[in-house]
Amino acid sequence: MSAPDLKLLLAAPRGFCAGVDRAIQIVERTLEKYGAPVYVRHEIVHNRYVVENLEKKGAVFVDELSDVPKDVPVIFSAHGVAKAVPQEAERRNMFYIDATCPLVSKVHREAERHEKDGMEIVLIGHRGHPEVIGTMGQLEDGRISLVETVEDAKEFQPQNPTAKLAYLTQTTLSVDETRDIVETLRSRFPDIASPKKEDICYATTNRQAAVKQLASHCDGMLVIGAPNSSNSMRLVEVAKKSGCQNVSLVQRASDIPWEKLQNCKNIGITAGASAPETLVEEVVDAFSAHYTVSVEEVVTSEEHVTFKLPRVLEN
């Protein structure tokens, strides 16, 4: 008996963004140049497959600088860190390499500039996320107010009613939800300053747009990514809001919810910005073992962004 037919629609773009690719390269190049072990403060990116592969090559992931022995390189993750972290590394005479995504660093510089200009800063983001901790940690405690929801934006009260306001955003938020929060802030504070260029990164925006395009054509969707990955979780939300309720987050093929998908004819697949293409291929192969699969890539935009490595690793 022949296997049932199934169409897989692959979102494009999907998977690694330039910031994630750069961060992984930084760990690999540091290992090549200085040898193992190389220590990394926090997960370099939010993906266990990536982290475990780097561990096999000699990377050691730790929570704090106090866990790093003397005389070994330490790398800061792509999500960025508070200013206190490199300051502590310098105080300890540690050799550190910063793998912060340049688009996150841009938000850090915006925060510094706004404070220098005497503005009160609102950050739109998710409390406890490493990127938010890093951005808020660019300034002294209390200098940045966090707004997570439209309700928060309605209730927000400036610390200084006479100061000019500016807002920043986490780079991996839902484009639509962020727009609603910004509109709420603008309705209350018409003069609030916005970023010169959108803070939500190109990769987040493009992946959400691709999912929107796919969702209405699918009776099931899989987002390949980690539960602690903000951009992956936002893809699940966007897919549901765009017309496909049967959406699951999977870390790899072993997580595929076969029962939920057994009556599907068209399944959409995307991957968060920290999920490698290898995991997409693994999922496609798993479906091919159960179905007669046809694969179509649905391209909504093309990406050609690359970021330079830190100078210390260029040679």
Side-chain angles (χ1 to χ4, degrees):
M1 187 171 135
S2 62
D5 291 338
L6 179 68
K7 188 168 190 177
L8 298 180
L9 299 171
L10 304 187
R14 63 181 176 273
F16 278 1
C17 62
V20 164
D21 192 47
R22 173 181 180 267
I24 293 167
Q25 281 190 61
I26 286 173
V27 179
E28 292 175 337
R29 290 281 189 93
T30 305
L31 283 163
E32 289 169 12
K33 186 167 183 177
Y34 300 100
V38 163
Y39 279 69
V40 185
R41 184 184 178 276
H42 296 175
E43 288 188 345
I44 188 69
V45 297
H46 283 156
N47 187 277
R48 283 308 307 165
Y49 178 86
V50 170
V51 167
E52 287 168 6
N53 272 353
L54 292 172
E55 285 175 334
K56 289 172 187 172
K57 295 178 181 179
V60 180
F61 293 86
V62 297
D63 289 330
E64 299 300 340
L65 292 183
S66 56
D67 300 322
V68 181
K70 288 184 178 179
D71 305 321
V72 295
V74 60
I75 297 168
F76 302 150
S77 82
H79 308 102
V81 295
K83 271 194 173 167
V85 176
Q87 287 170 352
E88 182 189 350
E90 287 167 10
R91 184 177 60 79
R92 291 170 173 248
N93 294 318
M94 302 176 95
F95 171 46
Y96 68 87
I97 299 173
D98 190 355
T100 301
C101 172
L103 298 179
V104 174
S105 296
K106 176 184 83 75
V107 179
H108 292 180
R109 303 294 81 78
E110 287 173 336
E112 292 173 337
R113 189 178 70 249
H114 289 323
E115 184 185 49
K116 188 178 177 183
D117 292 342
M119 302 173 88
E120 186 170 332
I121 303 165
V122 177
L123 175 64
I124 301 170
H126 296 295
R127 187 179 305 278
H129 188 277
E131 183 185 329
V132 167
I133 293 168
T135 297
M136 295 185 75
Q138 297 308 301
L139 306 179
E140 291 181 8
D141 285 352
R143 298 309 299 265
I144 299 177
S145 299
L146 183 65
V147 166
E148 296 189 80
T149 63
V150 168
E151 201 56 44
D152 288 347
K154 289 177 181 175
E155 295 176 0
F156 168 72
Q157 295 298 329
Q159 297 173 38
N160 181 357
T162 62
K164 187 168 171 53
L165 287 173
Y167 76 84
L168 307 171
T169 80
Q170 184 179 334
T171 64
T172 54
L173 299 177
S174 160
V175 174
D176 293 339
E177 284 187 12
T178 304
R179 183 182 58 238
D180 293 343
I181 294 170
V182 169
E183 286 177 358
T184 302
L185 288 171
R186 281 188 176 143
S187 70
R188 297 187 59 215
F189 311 104
D191 296 330
I192 192 169
S194 58
K196 289 182 180 177
K197 189 178 179 187
E198 186 63 59
D199 284 341
I200 295 178
C201 86
Y202 77 94
T204 298
T205 302
N206 290 348
R207 279 149 191 71
Q208 288 179 21
V211 162
K212 284 182 183 179
Q213 179 81 8
L214 273 191
S216 59
H217 302 289
C218 300
D219 38 25
M221 286 194 73
L222 296 180
V223 176
I224 302 169
N228 61 339
S229 163
S230 174
N231 74 83
S232 298
M233 295 303 292
R234 300 297 79 75
L235 291 175
V236 173
E237 294 169 1
V238 168
K240 289 180 177 178
K241 288 180 179 177
S242 300
C244 183
Q245 293 306 305
N246 187 1
V247 186
S248 298
L249 180 78
V250 298
Q251 298 200 61
R252 49 189 316 175
S254 55
D255 300 329
I256 294 172
W258 296 105
E259 286 188 11
K260 278 181 69 177
L261 301 172
Q262 62 184 347
N263 296 319
C264 294
K265 302 296 182 186
N266 299 289
I267 295 176
I269 298 175
T270 189
S274 46
E277 185 64 14
T278 302
L279 298 184
V280 177
E281 294 166 359
E282 180 184 278
V283 166
V284 171
D285 288 345
F287 278 111
S288 299
H290 292 77
Y291 297 89
T292 301
V293 166
S294 64
V295 179
E296 178 185 340
E297 189 168 59
V298 180
V299 181
T300 53
S301 62
E302 295 185 2
E303 295 176 349
H304 305 285
V305 178
T306 56
F307 295 130
K308 287 184 177 180
L309 296 178
R311 195 169 298 168
V312 70
L313 297 177
E314 284 182 345
N315 297 327

